[in-house]
Amino acid sequence: MDKWVYLFEEGDHTMLGLLGGKGEGLAEMSRAGLPVPPGFTITTAACNAYYAHDKLFPEGMWSQSKAGLKTVEEKTGRRFGDPANPLLVSVRSGAPVSMPGMMDTVLNLGLNANTLQGLARLTGDERFAWDAYRRFVQMFAEIVLGVPGEKLDRAFEVVKSQTNNRRDSDLDVSALRTIVDRFKEIIFGEARQEVPDGPEEQLRLAIAAVFDSWMNRRAVDYRRLNRVADDIGTAVNVQAMVFGNAGEDSGTGVAFTRNPSTGEPVLFGEYLTNAQGEDVVAGTRTPFPIQHMAEAMPDTYRQFLEIAHRLEAHYRDMQDLEFTIERGRLWMLQTRSGKRTGRSAIRIAVDLVDEGVISREEAVQRVAPEQLEQLLHPIVDPTARPTVLASGLPASPGAASGKVVFDAGEAETLASGGEKVILVRHETNPDDFHGMVASQAIVTARGGVTSHAAVVARGMGKCCVVGCDALQIDYGQQLFTAGNVKVSRGDWITVDGTSGRVLLGQVATVDPELDHYFDTVMDWADDFRTLNVRANADTPADAQTARRFRAEGIGLCRTEHMFFEGNRIEAMREMIMAPNAVARAEALARLEPLQTRDFEGLFAVMDGYPVTIRLLDPPLHEFLPRHEETVLTITDLKLKLRLAANLEEIDTLLQQINSRTAILAQIERLAESNPMLGHRGCRLGVVYPEVTEMQARAIFTAAVRCHERGIRVIPEVMIPLVAYISEFKQQEALVRRVAGEVFASHGARVDYTVGTMIELPRAALTAAEIAESAEFFSFGTNDLTQTTLGLSRDDSARFLPGYVERGLIADDPFQTIDVAGVGQLVKFGVERGRSVRPDLKVGICGEHGGDPRSVKFFHEAGLNYVSCSPFRVPIARLAAAQAALGKRE
């Protein structure tokens, strides 16, 4: 028979995939002799079997669970369901990958009318027993029976308000009885059943509920966001209860062995006295800093500090710890590698190297490339003088502005329509996850730095402020009050997650300064990577940003973007409207000096680094006004003509009408049914060679001028959208002829190369033929994805997210390279191209160049470089290093 259940002491660190993170940690702590309440773990394999068999427990699992429970009874000296000496247990989830707050937990199982009295007699504290029962009924109802939590919360608050007690722990037995009675009424009304009295039935239903939570919306959303597979499953941990709500000498807390926001090497966390674990995580009470324990419970604090150091040394990483103190005795409930911000991850990695704990290679692999984005997030401009609405705890750094919303569903809806929103709540719970993903930032009035909102926000890299108790939130009126200021739904606020402030309105932000920890990790990454990293940059300002992040050249300069600046668009339209080649050349002559100046700026910034310049690519109609706008403008002018008061006005309006009519005719002449596959790329240069000539002249004139100023120029001219070798050769000949003319007129020359963008399947398939002439390839994976999959990147955005959500595809192919399809064309193109030109330089300049998993593939495919947006250059550098280290292993 399959083994589905392991006692804690039967597991070890090699069984992470089977026992999940929580189970593995409990096993390791138990084996090390740390104070861990006894228990057992039901494996992830059991979870997968549960789903494979229509949500039925696999054969043998329940009997093994009961056997495990028997062992727990023997170790504790208590019996499950015994009215005189009752054993209570908790049931908690625990996937192999940390998913904080995404799945469910039920505490105090085993309580009923009989065991409640037994617990009261055993502890000599009737109030404690009723508080435990109240918590059990509330959690079981919400988690297992599906009763809306807000209805139970409302009933709880109503009774509490009638007793004039501010703290839950101040409620007496009478109030707790009233609350439980009201809960039972609500439960029967909502679920049409009661919380079962039988302890074994409670346990069976709770285990099933935790398995069920693996597929709840928030857990699925979390896995999609973090690219976690559905089939790893969750384990279930059944553990003897210890009680932090047994009095003022009891408590519960969460701590990190280092600061998860900054990485500072000090114990970081918080705890509550006379409370159970969910009170800290849920944020319903604002807890004390963990250092407060040193004064309140000095002996327990010293013991906890020693255990924290032992666990960090054992795992060689910052640990996230959960603990409970029952009547002065410390119990450890969890250890796992802690979630951390990008800034914290980098500092911890560097510090652990300095402390001799890990190697530089390990340090580079400890930082997720995506986490670097958090370090590049803006911060509130230090020179700004904003109105501070409230201050709370800085739970996750950064700054963001958005419109206030109070509902997670509305946040998701508005964000999907392009709105920037900030979710404001009393406290968040796991069901708010989809709204948190959609929001720019999260603010809560309650909770601490280990609350649900804080942990989830840090994991996503979103700025977050918690514990803003100055905010009086009114969900009914859809507003909050801070002092004398009222802020309504839809009003703008700014969240400063670095300082913990909530600011009125949209406040200016600035880019953050990167510290020496960042530089150190990036230096190490550069030592290990073999893949070069360039940037996509169209302006000198973009190029300067790229160099600041140590880009090793420009992998894509889109020359068409230069034509949209200032009054250049008018000159471009003149060129398009020109009736013949002579008039077209005159219009281009006005554009040429502007392009030359642009290229000079790029070459100057990239002194000594290559600059790949793509010739004009988009269809010409993109430079003209939209058809609908032009028709409306003409209609408006004709209406004005009917009302014209004099001949001069009539003459002016007629000229404007004729001009716009001519533009409309040209728009209609250039209109295409499918512009993406129409008259664009090198096809424009074939039909309008004077465009290619002008751009080539601007490139080489700029190159020579910079060369004369002592700037080392490495121009790479890229011919776009080539399908036939004949297209490339025709355009290449034009480029080389113009280069010769410019060099002759200046009496100087610079080295340059001419290559092509591989963005059509035919180009990849005929790469050997093209490589006979092209000196470099750059894969344009945006268009190659479109043309390979038959998908419009813009239009498919309407349905592709649904494909990912439903599991039809693992990733959006425009965000992460489609290895099985597009990736094979890339590999084939590289292999065929180098079969005729072994030294062929090959890069990629699509959006995939900044996606870590795509970078790993490009490394394995043998590319020379990736190119991405300037702000993703550090991400690509780190991903390239990790790809190289992974291959080395």
Side-chain angles (χ1 to χ4, degrees):
M1 182 181 294
D2 291 320
K3 186 172 175 61
W4 305 110
V5 173
Y6 289 80
L7 298 172
F8 290 162
E9 59 269 25
E10 292 181 313
D12 60 44
H13 70 278
T14 66
M15 302 168 71
L16 174 65
L18 191 64
L19 302 180
K22 189 181 291 289
E24 181 269 341
L26 289 166
E28 285 289 291
M29 289 194 293
S30 297
R31 291 166 68 89
L34 298 183
V36 176
F40 57 88
T41 300
I42 303 171
T43 66
T44 57
C47 175
N48 287 329
Y50 174 80
Y51 280 103
H53 295 91
D54 296 324
K55 295 190 175 183
L56 295 174
F57 290 163
E59 184 179 355
M61 191 203 91
W62 181 240
S63 61
Q64 291 176 31
S65 298
K66 290 199 291 184
L69 189 63
K70 192 76 175 172
T71 302
V72 174
E73 289 178 332
E74 292 169 359
K75 289 183 176 182
T76 60
R78 298 176 180 177
R79 285 180 46 234
F80 197 51
D82 184 352
N85 191 21
L87 168 70
L88 304 186
V89 298
S90 62
V91 177
R92 302 173 188 261
S93 62
V97 175
S98 177
M99 296 173 58
M102 296 301 112
M103 292 173 290
D104 291 330
T105 291
V106 184
L107 304 180
N108 303 338
L109 281 107
L111 277 175
N112 55 33
N114 293 327
T115 56
L116 167 63
Q117 299 305 320
L119 182 64
R121 287 192 299 272
L122 191 66
T123 61
D125 189 340
E126 186 180 13
R127 190 218 162 270
F128 157 70
W130 272 98
D131 185 51
Y133 188 48
R134 184 272 302 176
R135 292 168 182 274
F136 164 67
V137 171
Q138 186 169 4
M139 293 187 80
F140 196 95
E142 185 174 351
I143 302 303
V144 181
L145 302 182
V147 176
E150 58 270 17
K151 292 194 175 184
L152 300 170
D153 290 339
R154 197 176 306 122
F156 184 85
E157 293 298 330
V158 166
V159 175
K160 193 164 77 166
S161 67
Q162 292 170 350
T163 63
N164 295 318
N165 289 312
R166 290 178 60 89
R167 299 196 311 164
D168 298 355
S169 56
D170 293 333
L171 295 169
D172 61 17
V173 171
S174 175
L176 291 168
R177 285 177 184 270
T178 302
I179 290 169
V180 169
D181 289 342
R182 181 68 186 118
F183 280 175
K184 290 182 175 181
E185 292 173 7
I186 294 171
I187 292 166
F188 190 79
E190 292 288 330
R192 286 292 181 262
Q193 60 180 307
E194 297 175 340
V195 174
D197 284 333
E200 284 196 3
E201 180 67 2
Q202 293 175 4
L203 180 60
R204 188 184 65 79
L205 290 174
I207 291 171
V210 172
F211 278 158
D212 289 343
S213 71
W214 177 247
M215 295 304 294
N216 68 31
R217 175 176 177 170
R218 61 182 183 271
V220 171
D221 285 349
Y222 184 92
R223 294 200 295 276
R224 296 289 175 269
L225 181 70
N226 293 280
R227 294 178 169 131
V228 175
D230 287 334
D231 60 3
I232 62 172
T234 182
V236 177
N237 298 284
V238 180
Q239 188 173 27
M241 282 294 305
V242 287
F243 299 96
N245 60 328
E248 292 303 319
D249 60 348
S250 303
T252 186
V254 176
F256 297 83
T257 55
R258 299 179 189 234
N259 189 307
S261 290
T262 67
E264 187 180 359
V266 294
L267 190 66
F268 177 92
E270 49 203 9
Y271 83 110
L272 283 168
T273 55
N274 202 12
Q276 286 196 310
E278 78 272 14
D279 295 331
V280 178
V281 176
T284 51
R285 288 169 57 189
T286 300
F288 301 111
I290 191 73
Q291 284 73 19
H292 185 273
M293 265 180 69
E295 300 174 12
M297 304 177 183
D299 292 339
T300 305
Y301 181 74
R302 279 193 295 272
Q303 183 189 5
F304 179 72
L305 207 57
E306 179 189 345
I307 289 173
H309 289 320
R310 281 184 63 185
L311 289 170
E312 180 174 287
H314 176 73
Y315 283 100
R316 302 165 63 246
D317 194 11
M318 182 262 276
Q319 293 297 291
D320 172 2
L321 310 172
E322 290 183 12
F323 63 93
T324 285
I325 303 160
E326 183 182 68
R327 304 188 190 281
R329 185 176 181 184
L330 176 66
W331 294 95
M332 299 302 298
L333 304 181
Q334 172 182 283
T335 185
R336 64 184 177 191
S337 291
K339 291 283 186 181
R340 63 204 76 179
T341 65
R343 184 173 300 280
S344 176
I346 285 176
R347 174 161 182 181
I348 290 171
V350 173
D351 282 349
L352 289 176
V353 171
D354 292 343
E355 294 164 18
V357 176
I358 63 174
S359 66
R360 292 182 176 187
E361 289 87 346
E362 288 177 290
V364 167
Q365 292 176 305
R366 287 275 179 96
V367 181
E370 297 89 346
Q371 287 184 301
L372 296 185
E373 271 196 289
Q374 300 170 27
L375 277 73
L376 311 176
H377 284 179
I379 59 175
V380 171
D381 186 345
T383 65
R385 295 291 179 265
T387 299
V388 179
L389 294 172
S391 293
L393 300 172
S396 187
S401 298
K403 295 180 179 179
V404 170
V405 294
F406 297 96
D407 177 76
E410 184 181 25
E412 183 180 49
T413 300
L414 292 175
S416 66
E419 298 271 11
K420 290 185 176 182
V421 298
I422 290 176
L423 183 63
V424 179
R425 303 282 293 167
H426 287 304
E427 68 270 338
T428 63
N429 62 55
D431 289 329
D432 293 321
F433 180 71
H434 59 294
M436 298 172 74
V437 171
S439 300
Q440 302 295 308
I442 299 102
V443 175
T444 66
R446 299 197 285 255
V449 292
T450 56
S451 65
H452 175 267
V455 172
V456 173
R458 279 197 296 271
M460 291 191 293
K462 290 184 184 289
C463 64
C464 175
V465 175
V466 299
C468 289
D469 52 14
L471 298 185
Q472 302 299 313
I473 300 173
D474 186 333
Y475 289 147
Q477 296 293 318
Q478 291 284 283
L479 58 81
F480 70 77
T481 305
N484 296 323
V485 180
K486 285 187 177 180
V487 177
S488 299
R489 170 189 169 278
D491 290 345
W492 283 83
I493 61 171
T494 298
V495 178
D496 183 353
T498 305
S499 68
R501 298 179 301 166
V502 179
L503 312 172
L504 184 63
Q506 293 176 268
V507 180
T509 59
V510 296
D511 292 334
E513 293 184 6
L514 301 175
D515 58 25
H516 74 280
Y517 293 105
F518 175 87
D519 291 337
T520 300
V521 167
M522 297 313 298
D523 285 343
W524 294 340
D526 290 343
D527 288 342
F528 299 132
R529 67 182 170 89
T530 57
L531 193 65
N532 288 336
V533 178
R534 301 189 189 182
N536 302 337
D538 309 324
T539 67
D542 289 342
Q544 286 171 341
T545 300
R547 284 297 301 132
R548 180 159 58 91
F549 292 128
R550 298 196 215 168
E552 297 156 312
I554 292 176
L556 175 63
C557 169
R558 293 155 289 206
T559 55
E560 62 270 11
H561 287 190
M562 299 172 174
F563 294 134
F564 288 104
E565 291 187 13
N567 59 4
R568 298 184 189 190
I569 190 69
E570 294 304 324
M572 191 64 181
R573 287 173 179 171
E574 284 182 34
M575 187 275 292
I576 296 170
M577 298 293 296
N580 52 54
V582 174
R584 200 155 37 246
E586 290 176 354
L588 288 169
R590 287 191 286 278
L591 285 170
E592 185 176 323
L594 301 175
Q595 279 239 293
T596 302
R597 189 165 67 242
D598 290 333
F599 294 140
E600 282 188 70
L602 290 176
F603 290 143
V605 174
M606 284 291 160
D607 186 1
Y609 291 96
V611 178
T612 304
I613 299 170
R614 182 180 70 185
L615 300 181
L616 190 65
D617 181 50
L620 294 180
H621 74 83
E622 288 195 11
F623 297 98
L624 297 175
R626 293 177 58 193
H627 185 276
E628 297 84 355
E629 292 174 359
T630 307
V631 170
L632 287 172
T633 299
I634 293 172
T635 302
D636 187 50
L637 289 170
K638 287 180 177 179
L639 289 173
K640 290 180 179 178
L641 182 63
R642 294 175 62 181
L643 301 173
N646 54 62
L647 290 174
E648 183 179 353
E649 187 179 357
I650 290 172
D651 185 56
T652 300
L653 287 168
L654 284 172
Q655 289 180 30
Q656 291 175 348
I657 290 169
N658 291 335
S659 172
R660 293 291 174 175
T661 302
I663 290 175
L664 181 62
Q666 194 73 324
I667 292 171
E668 292 174 344
R669 185 180 71 80
L670 293 172
E672 296 177 295
S673 298
N674 191 346
M676 188 194 81
L677 299 178
H679 193 201
R680 52 169 289 219
C682 66
R683 301 160 192 169
L684 284 173
V686 169
V687 175
Y688 302 117
E690 54 272 24
V691 174
T692 300
E693 291 171 347
M694 182 277 285
Q695 290 199 293
R697 201 157 37 245
I699 291 169
F700 294 115
T701 299
V704 170
R705 288 178 181 173
C706 287
H707 173 72
E708 291 171 345
R709 290 161 48 196
I711 296 168
R712 185 168 173 242
V713 183
I714 310 175
E716 298 177 342
V717 182
M718 185 158 67
I719 297 167
L721 209 74
V722 165
Y724 298 94
I725 183 61
S726 55
E727 293 174 312
F728 178 83
K729 286 183 174 180
Q730 195 263 8
Q731 289 290 284
E732 179 197 20
L734 282 179
V735 170
R736 295 195 183 279
R737 175 176 60 77
V738 171
E741 293 170 355
V742 172
F743 295 158
S745 66
H746 284 79
R749 63 164 288 115
V750 296
D751 292 332
Y752 69 96
T753 54
V754 182
T756 188
M757 205 166 182
I758 304 293
E759 46 195 329
L760 296 173
R762 190 182 194 280
L765 294 171
T766 61
E769 185 181 26
I770 294 174
E772 291 176 358
S773 298
E775 295 173 293
F776 67 86
F777 285 173
S778 179
F779 283 89
T781 52
N782 295 343
D783 275 351
L784 188 58
T785 297
Q786 292 192 98
T787 53
T788 300
L789 298 181
L791 284 174
S792 161
R793 180 171 55 171
D794 296 329
D795 295 330
S796 63
R798 301 173 186 172
F799 61 85
L800 269 184
Y803 271 49
V804 175
E805 188 175 325
R806 294 164 61 188
L808 295 176
I809 56 177
D811 301 286
D812 184 330
F814 293 106
Q815 295 178 10
T816 298
I817 193 77
D818 166 36
V819 172
V822 178
Q824 297 313 299
L825 286 174
V826 171
K827 291 178 72 172
F828 185 85
V830 172
E831 292 165 1
R832 297 297 295 154
R834 287 180 177 159
S835 70
V836 298
R837 190 185 290 268
D839 62 346
L840 181 71
K841 182 162 58 179
V842 183
I844 171 264
C845 60
E847 290 299 315
H848 301 102
D851 172 66
R853 288 191 298 161
S854 301
V855 170
K856 181 175 184 290
F857 168 76
F858 296 133
H859 171 87
E860 294 168 349
L863 271 65
N864 299 97
Y865 69 86
V866 296
S867 188
C868 55
S869 66
F871 280 97
R872 293 193 71 81
V873 165
I875 296 168
R877 288 165 59 199
L878 183 58
Q882 292 179 349
L885 289 169
K887 195 169 185 178
R888 184 190 298 180
E889 292 173 358

